[in-house]
Amino acid sequence: PGCSLRIGVEREIATGGLAMRKDKEVLKDLGLRKLFLDLLCAYNPVWLRLGLETVLGETLDSVNLRFLRRVAFERVLDDPLISHKFKETKKGLFENPDYIQELGKHTLSKFLMIVMFLDTAKQASLIDHPSCLFQISKKENRLEIKSSQRMLIHFAKEF
């Protein structure tokens, strides 16, 4: 069931049925990039590491939140392969609508895969550690996310 859901989501993103909001330029706007990363970092670092490792297909060396945030910035909000593909154009990357569209699809896909995987992993108790999926908000500026549903709602409102 998880595989067919992933395929369905990927198909919807590829055909434009699911897309980042056109009225917000998350890939250009530093404030929206910060908000995006804050949203991902609402996950408990143990779980976020597992989600990033699974979705990106890489082994990560740390559960340090700063490290995970940097990985998300470099591999979810950006993609070296997409940047390389478009670097030969005469326009700056962020002025190229094809680059913005492809990177937006990449970001949306990776984000949704992380959320779906972590929700499934938590329900299946993939980690023996009894940690919560989301961090307990102790700071005023930390987003108050307590469920995958709230995560998706917040994402849809902002991005």
Side-chain angles (χ1 to χ4, degrees), residues 94-113:
F94 286 114
E95 302 305 318
N96 185 330
D98 295 332
Y99 170 75
I100 295 294
Q101 182 179 14
E102 190 162 336
L103 191 56
K105 287 179 178 182
H106 165 82
T107 298
L108 179 60
S109 172
K110 297 299 182 201
F111 177 81
L112 292 176
M113 293 302 122

Side-chain angles (χ1 to χ4, degrees), residues 21-115:
R21 289 177 51 171
K22 296 195 186 315
D23 64 330
K24 297 200 178 185
E25 296 182 325
V26 68
L27 303 172
K28 291 183 184 181
D29 185 313
L30 294 178
L32 287 175
R33 285 177 144 214
K34 180 187 178 311
L35 181 60
F36 179 88
L37 293 170
D38 289 346
L39 194 58
L40 271 182
C41 289
Y43 281 110
N44 180 308
V46 173
W47 287 100
L48 180 57
R49 176 184 176 184
L50 179 64
L52 288 169
E53 285 182 334
T54 302
V55 171
L56 300 176
E58 299 175 13
T59 300
L60 303 177
D61 298 334
S62 174
V63 292
N64 176 285
L65 199 52
R66 269 197 179 137
F67 172 76
L68 296 174
R69 186 180 186 92
R70 185 172 48 86
V71 169
F73 179 80
E74 293 172 355
R75 303 282 289 133
V76 177
L77 275 174
D78 198 359
D79 184 321
L81 295 175
I82 295 172
S83 296
H84 182 72
K85 177 180 171 183
F86 285 95
K87 80 174 185 171
E88 301 301 321
T89 62
K90 296 191 188 296
K91 294 181 180 181
L93 287 177
F94 286 114
E95 302 305 318
N96 185 330
D98 295 332
Y99 170 75
I100 295 294
Q101 182 179 14
E102 190 162 336
L103 191 56
K105 287 179 178 182
H106 165 82
T107 298
L108 179 60
S109 172
K110 297 299 182 201
F111 177 81
L112 292 176
M113 293 302 122
I114 289 168
V115 173

